[in-house]
């Protein structure tokens, strides 16, 4: 039996809808007994990152991840450089927070482009460059493949297999400073999922495990994720695979949802705690 307690879970702050300042969010997450937090860059704008890091530590929380990269592909080299520089700033913030990894959502087609292969090449090259910067900071990177429905507007890396191929390609020294995030919402449909989770585990590349549920039907591609247990994903089986592949980090709850974002944070966090029973194995 591997029950899942709040202590073994992280709250990705997107779950709480960015309604209150990060300082309050930290207090709320800690007060419900969760073990970690995964903040977003937008919450740290204008904040003293070191002070936020201290507050997180003092609250007894780890930082399971830091969300997330700006897109990598762009139409011109100037734009590409600007995005790279912005991502380098984010790497420093992630390191100051003591994040277990910096999450890469690669981006995709620049406006007007139809060249997804080109976008994928740029993404792989950009990740390679970011890895060199992250290694100077001793900060692991985690590529998060997004569901193929986002291939046009958010991310051109759409399967765990593709994300792992990029890890292998850029990590020539096999440092394992780069791995993947397995997000249930993005990968549950994949017929190769079990094999790719095993592959990720064998390469010691599982850097994050995000959970929520896929409601059937979804009413919005982005803002209609479900609470664990409310949808069609076999989260118990998925968690069994991820643990079986050697992952022993946090299960990170990440629920983008207009419905949940309308509720008080306290109610959402209580519901998250209750829903953990659904993925105890
Ligand atoms: Zn995620």
């Amino acid at each position: 039996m591997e029950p899942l307690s709040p202590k073994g879970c992280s709250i990705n702050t997107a779950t709480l809808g960015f309604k209150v300042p990060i300082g309050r969010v930290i207090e709320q997450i800690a007060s419900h007994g969760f073990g970690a937090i995964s903040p977003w860059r937008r919450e740290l704008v204008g904040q003293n990152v070191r002070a936020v890091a201290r507050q997180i530590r003092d609250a007894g929380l780890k930082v399971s991840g830091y969300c997330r990269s700006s897109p990598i592909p762009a139409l011109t080299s100037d734009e590409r450089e600007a995005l790279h520089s912005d991502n380098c700033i984010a790497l420093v913030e992630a390191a100051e927070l003591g994040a277990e990894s910096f999450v890469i959502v690669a981006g995709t087609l620049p406006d007007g482009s139809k060249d997804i292969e080109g976008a994928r090449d740029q993404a792989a090259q950009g990740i390679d460059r970011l890895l060199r910067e992250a290694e100077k900071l001793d900060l692991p990177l985690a590529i998060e493949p997004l569901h193929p429905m986002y291939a046009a507007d958010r991310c051109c890396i759409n399967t765990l297999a593709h994300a792992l191929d990029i890890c292998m390609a850029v990590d020539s020294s096999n440092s394992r400073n780069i791995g993947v995030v397995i997000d249930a919402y993005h990968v549950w449909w994949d017929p190769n999922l079990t094999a790719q989770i095993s592959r990720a585990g064998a390469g010691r590349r599982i850097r994050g495990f995000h959970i929520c549920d896929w409601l059937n039907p979804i009413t919005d591609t982005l803002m209609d994720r479900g609470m664990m247990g409310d949808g069609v994903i076999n989260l118990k089986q998925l968690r069994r695979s991820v643990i079986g592949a050697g992952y022993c980090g946090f299960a990170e709850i990440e629920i983008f949802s207009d419905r949940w974002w309308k509720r008080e944070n306290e109610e959402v966090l209580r519901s998250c705690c209750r829903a953990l029973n659904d993925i105890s194995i």
Side-chain angles (χ1 to χ4, degrees):
M1 261 297 270
E2 290 266 6
L4 186 54
S5 69
K7 210 73 205 150
C9 286
S10 175
I11 296 290
N12 183 300
T13 56
T15 305
L16 302 176
F18 309 113
K19 299 186 289 285
V20 299
I22 186 69
R24 182 77 191 111
V25 168
I26 294 165
E27 288 170 8
Q28 289 174 329
I29 290 172
S31 76
H32 283 265
F34 290 99
I37 183 172
S38 181
W40 281 63
R41 286 193 79 190
R42 58 188 280 179
E43 296 171 292
L44 297 189
V45 174
Q47 301 275 338
N48 178 328
V49 179
R50 280 168 201 266
V52 172
R54 198 174 322 116
Q55 194 196 344
I56 292 173
R57 265 197 314 275
D58 291 349
L61 298 171
K62 304 269 191 218
V63 178
S64 57
Y66 185 42
C67 296
R68 58 177 165 69
S69 68
S70 295
I72 293 168
L75 281 183
T76 68
S77 59
D78 282 356
E79 287 169 324
R80 209 157 32 245
E81 283 308 307
L83 291 166
H84 176 73
S85 300
D86 187 50
N87 279 329
C88 288
I89 294 169
L91 293 179
V92 173
E93 293 166 355
E96 284 180 344
L97 286 169
E100 292 181 1
S101 64
F102 178 62
V103 177
I104 307 262
V105 173
T108 185
L109 299 172
D111 277 349
S113 168
K114 297 187 182 194
D115 183 10
I116 197 162
E117 281 184 32
R120 286 178 169 144
D121 286 345
Q122 286 192 37
Q125 286 164 23
I127 289 169
D128 189 25
R129 270 180 93 188
L130 281 179
L131 180 59
R132 309 300 145 220
E133 296 302 318
E135 280 176 336
K136 292 179 201 160
L137 299 164
D138 205 18
L139 173 75
L141 299 182
I143 304 174
E144 183 163 349
L146 262 51
H147 192 285
M149 69 182 169
Y150 299 117
D153 62 348
R154 290 180 185 274
C155 186
C156 60
I157 301 172
N158 305 109
T159 61
L160 201 47
H162 186 191
L164 287 167
D165 288 347
I166 293 176
C167 289
M168 307 288 283
V170 300
D171 186 15
S172 47
S173 61
N174 219 12
S175 69
R176 297 190 167 85
N177 287 326
I178 186 161
V180 294
V181 173
I182 298 172
D183 184 322
Y185 188 77
H186 294 304
V187 302
W188 71 277
W189 57 274
D190 185 344
N192 295 314
L193 184 58
T194 306
Q196 292 301 320
I197 290 173
S198 300
R199 177 185 169 204
R204 300 208 303 278
R205 294 204 189 268
I206 306 178
R207 290 258 171 211
F209 176 42
H210 294 180
I211 53 174
C212 66
D213 215 332
W214 184 285
L215 303 175
N216 189 21
I218 56 167
T219 57
D220 186 271
T221 55
L222 187 65
M223 292 302 299
D224 194 28
R225 294 190 185 201
M227 181 62 67
M228 293 78 71
D230 289 351
V232 297
I233 303 178
N234 189 337
L235 287 163
K236 282 180 197 266
Q237 187 183 315
L238 181 57
R239 183 160 166 256
R240 219 174 268 129
S241 299
V242 170
I243 291 174
Y247 180 72
C248 47
F250 293 100
E252 183 175 314
I253 300 170
E254 184 185 37
I255 307 173
F256 286 83
S257 162
D258 286 327
R259 245 176 291 195
W260 286 102
W261 284 17
K262 284 196 189 106
R263 303 189 192 182
E264 294 293 331
N265 286 358
E266 296 294 338
E267 187 194 342
V268 177
L269 291 167
R270 270 197 305 275
S271 298
C272 288
C273 288
R274 269 198 305 272
L276 296 185
N277 290 330
D278 220 76
I279 41 177
S280 286
I281 51 178

